[in-house]
Amino acid sequence: MSEPLLSIRDLVTEFDTQDGLIRAVDHVSFDVGRGEVVGVVGESGSGKSVTAMSVMGLVPPNVGRVVQGQALFDGQDLLAASPEEMRRLRGDELAIIFQDPITSLNPVLTVGAQIGEAIRTHRDLSKDDARSEAVELLTAVGVDDAERRVDQYPHEFSGGMRQRVMIAIAIANRPKLLIADEPTTALDVTVQAQVLELLSRTQQEMQSSIVLITHDLGLVAEVADRVVVMYAGRVVETGSVHEIFQEPRHPYTRGLLASRPGLGGSDRLPAIPGQAPSLLAMPTGCKFHPRCDQSDGRAPCWEEEPSLRVIGADADDRASRCHYHEELARERTAETPRPRGRWWRR
Ligand SMILES: Nc1ncnc2c1ncn2[C@@H]1O[C@H](COP(=O)(O)OP(=O)(O)O)[C@@H](O)[C@H]1O
Ligand SMILES: [Mg+2]
């Protein structure tokens, strides 16, 4: 495999809170290949967004800090880059889309002005040329009648259309890496599918890489090539989408798969029992053991935290942080994944 576009190595990010210091991201490592879509999944509070913020240089400096690690982007360590350099890279080679487009868009500027600004910050274009490009971008992301809508304000757009505008801004300079943090969580199911389709198409056209952050494994099956599962600030399993769905090798991943909503997004199955631990009062040993249906009270689970170990000899980036992941391999789930999504068609 060629050198990854992004290589996150041993990332540790902490916050000062009223109740004490918390380690939101604890020695996280994973790679994002060129042209690859990596899904980062986990329950709320598992450290997905903080990982993204760390890589983008957006950890709020008064309360939080990256204390360790590297994020090698095309060989350059983003965590060691100056704030000026990060400002230059963001919106140009790197872009991020957040869950809630209304707080990311400026309510007093037209959509066209905001897309134009994104373009003109990084390229020397006249206002007129930037506006024409904004119209093209809006058309490309599926906003009808873009020539007229380019002069409208964010509040004149629906939630789904605003997220399309955010995507237009994010891809305006054809970034090599796009991080999408819960990009469709605020949208209804049909619009979710359209926005995902747009992201997927954009990625293919631009040959960019995408990190898709979501609490919903179903979304990952639709668009991702590879999956990184996070729990309590740690990576607990990695593998291809196919491997993760066919044969989860961590009890937490297995639980996430079992609690996936059905097609259509309704009829949610029971969630994994219990709650994710407080970062202020972490269990000993494996951080998942108090909720684990595989541990059965075995001592290693509460005595010693497992490391993230590579599974198999020829496995390409397949790893699990469970002492007993081999047991999971033997008792393969009878359920096979639904025949849908990109990975299935290949
Ligand atoms: N600005 C902040 N100040 C203090 N704690 C934070 C801040 N941002 C995130 N955290 C904490 O970091 C942990 C991980 O959060 P986050 O990465 O947002 O989770 P998620 O996986 O849901 O995206 C949580 O416990 C959260 O409370
Ligand atoms: Mg988040």
Side-chain angles (χ1 to χ4, degrees):
M1 201 172 111
S2 68
E3 189 172 295
L5 177 65
L6 176 71
S7 185
I8 301 175
R9 289 280 150 259
D10 224 17
L11 176 68
V12 178
T13 303
E14 293 177 343
F15 288 98
D16 299 312
T17 70
Q18 276 186 337
D19 304 314
L21 185 73
I22 60 165
R23 184 168 276 199
V25 171
D26 201 344
H27 297 281
V28 160
S29 300
F30 63 89
D31 288 348
V32 181
R34 287 165 206 277
E36 190 177 45
V37 180
V38 174
V40 177
V41 296
E43 289 164 302
S44 176
S46 54
K48 306 181 298 293
S49 295
V50 174
T51 300
M53 282 154 54
S54 304
V55 168
M56 299 295 288
L58 295 173
V59 176
N62 43 338
V63 288
R65 74 205 67 86
V66 172
V67 294
Q68 188 184 316
Q70 291 182 310
L72 299 171
F73 176 71
D74 249 344
Q76 177 185 11
D77 185 7
L78 299 176
L79 305 184
S82 67
E84 296 72 43
E85 176 69 354
M86 282 311 291
R87 268 195 291 278
R88 189 187 70 73
L89 288 168
R90 273 198 307 268
D92 186 16
E93 298 196 24
L94 302 164
I96 187 160
I97 305 170
F98 294 104
Q99 173 176 337
D100 184 4
I102 198 67
T103 54
S104 319
L105 288 168
N106 186 334
V108 301
L109 287 179
T110 65
V111 154
Q114 295 182 64
I115 301 174
E117 199 175 281
I119 297 170
R120 277 157 51 86
T121 306
H122 298 284
R123 279 186 281 151
D124 190 18
L125 278 188
S126 73
K127 275 200 165 149
D128 280 354
D129 288 346
R131 187 183 177 281
S132 311
E133 248 194 73
V135 171
E136 274 175 39
L137 277 162
L138 283 177
T139 307
V141 297
V143 173
D144 291 334
D145 199 9
E147 185 63 52
R148 182 177 63 88
R149 303 213 70 184
V150 73
D151 296 322
Q152 292 185 330
Y153 291 87
H155 73 264
E156 297 175 82
F157 285 66
S158 67
M161 285 295 155
R162 280 196 293 263
Q163 197 56 298
R164 286 172 193 266
V165 171
M166 288 311 298
I167 294 172
I169 290 173
I171 65 174
N173 297 308
R174 305 181 76 83
K176 292 183 191 161
L177 177 70
L178 184 60
I179 300 182
D181 189 353
E182 308 269 6
T184 64
T185 302
L187 307 176
D188 71 46
V189 177
T190 22
V191 184
Q192 270 191 9
Q194 291 163 2
V195 170
L196 268 193
E197 169 66 28
L198 169 64
L199 274 179
S200 179
R201 193 158 40 88
T202 307
Q203 181 272 331
Q204 277 161 26
E205 276 162 22
M206 299 195 313
Q207 287 300 300
S208 57
S209 306
I210 296 188
V211 175
L212 174 66
I213 296 177
T214 174
H215 62 279
D216 183 351
L217 260 174
L219 289 194
V220 158
E222 299 283 344
V223 292
D225 301 301
R226 226 152 38 75
V227 184
V228 172
V229 183
M230 289 188 66
Y231 187 77
R234 291 146 168 84
V235 174
V236 295
E237 181 165 8
T238 59
S240 69
V241 172
H242 189 76
E243 289 163 334
I244 293 279
F245 276 73
Q246 284 280 349
E247 189 186 284
R249 294 287 288 267
H250 194 287
Y252 178 62
T253 312
R254 193 172 59 175
L256 282 181
L257 283 166
S259 59
R260 215 161 15 128
L263 259 185
S266 56
D267 51 54
R268 203 166 256 291
L269 295 164
I272 303 168
Q275 280 183 349
S278 158
L279 297 177
L280 288 159
M282 288 284 246
T284 60
C286 171
K287 304 311 162 211
F288 186 62
H289 89 261
R291 302 172 74 188
C292 184
D293 60 7
Q294 187 74 20
S295 159
D296 202 19
R298 282 179 284 193
C301 299
W302 49 268
E303 278 177 354
E304 186 198 342
E305 179 167 18
S307 55
L308 187 66
R309 276 173 303 163
V310 171
I311 299 170
D314 60 351
D316 186 21
D317 221 4
R318 179 97 172 103
S320 165
R321 196 187 273 280
C322 175
H323 288 307
Y324 299 109
H325 70 79
E326 274 146 14
E327 294 174 9
L328 299 177
R330 275 181 237 120
E331 50 167 77
R332 285 176 190 241
T333 44
E335 185 209 5
T336 46
R338 290 192 185 88
R340 62 185 172 124
R342 237 148 56 90
W343 60 271
W344 189 271
R345 292 201 294 271
R346 274 188 192 151

